Amino acid sequence: MTTQQEASDYRCPMDQPDLVVTDQRAAMRYEAHIGTELAGFVEYRWVGRRRVLLHTEVLPAFGGRGIGVAMARHVLEDALASELRVTVKCPFIRVYVERHPEYAAITTPPRRHSG
């Protein structure tokens, strides 16, 4: 693990003490692991210095444990710390931002295509 990855690791002490969320930049996704098992991920792409959040998925075996919420919080906190703007196309994270207006300042609306 690189120093940059270690700096963006997220441990969720209240929801899941052994949950670690890491930005896997080469794969363009954040991954949540419990121990050595992949529990979920958030896919993204870059548009300039803006991160577009595309899809959040929690693997069925790990559902109902707050992993999706922990990943959403980590992705948005990481954007805040890195002074990045995000566009939220993922419905799950969109609802999370609606419920946590402290992240509204870093979000930009998705661009609409004309035609």
Side-chain angles (χ1 to χ4, degrees), residues 16-28:
Q16 199 66 241
D18 49 354
L19 177 71
V20 178
V21 180
T22 305
D23 186 2
Q24 299 296 319
R25 292 179 183 215
M28 287 196 292

Side-chain angles (χ1 to χ4, degrees), residues 14-69:
M14 295 185 312
D15 303 320
Q16 199 66 241
D18 49 354
L19 177 71
V20 178
V21 180
T22 305
D23 186 2
Q24 299 296 319
R25 292 179 183 215
M28 287 196 292
R29 71 184 200 172
Y30 286 84
E31 293 182 355
H33 286 87
I34 295 179
T36 59
E37 293 187 70
L38 178 67
F41 56 88
V42 176
E43 296 174 330
Y44 64 83
R45 67 182 163 96
W46 289 100
V47 176
R49 278 198 35 84
R50 182 171 40 94
R51 186 176 283 152
V52 181
L53 306 176
L54 302 170
H55 176 70
T56 300
E57 187 167 331
V58 174
L59 300 179
F62 297 95
R65 299 186 196 181
I67 292 169
V69 169

Side-chain angles (χ1 to χ4, degrees), residues 41-98:
F41 56 88
V42 176
E43 296 174 330
Y44 64 83
R45 67 182 163 96
W46 289 100
V47 176
R49 278 198 35 84
R50 182 171 40 94
R51 186 176 283 152
V52 181
L53 306 176
L54 302 170
H55 176 70
T56 300
E57 187 167 331
V58 174
L59 300 179
F62 297 95
R65 299 186 196 181
I67 292 169
V69 169
M71 288 190 301
R73 182 172 52 233
H74 175 72
V75 168
L76 295 166
E77 285 294 324
D78 196 33
L80 271 172
S82 302
E83 298 181 358
L84 296 173
R85 307 253 328 142
V86 296
T87 297
V88 181
K89 290 193 171 190
C90 170
F92 180 84
I93 295 180
R94 186 178 311 123
V95 169
Y96 185 85
V97 170
E98 288 171 3

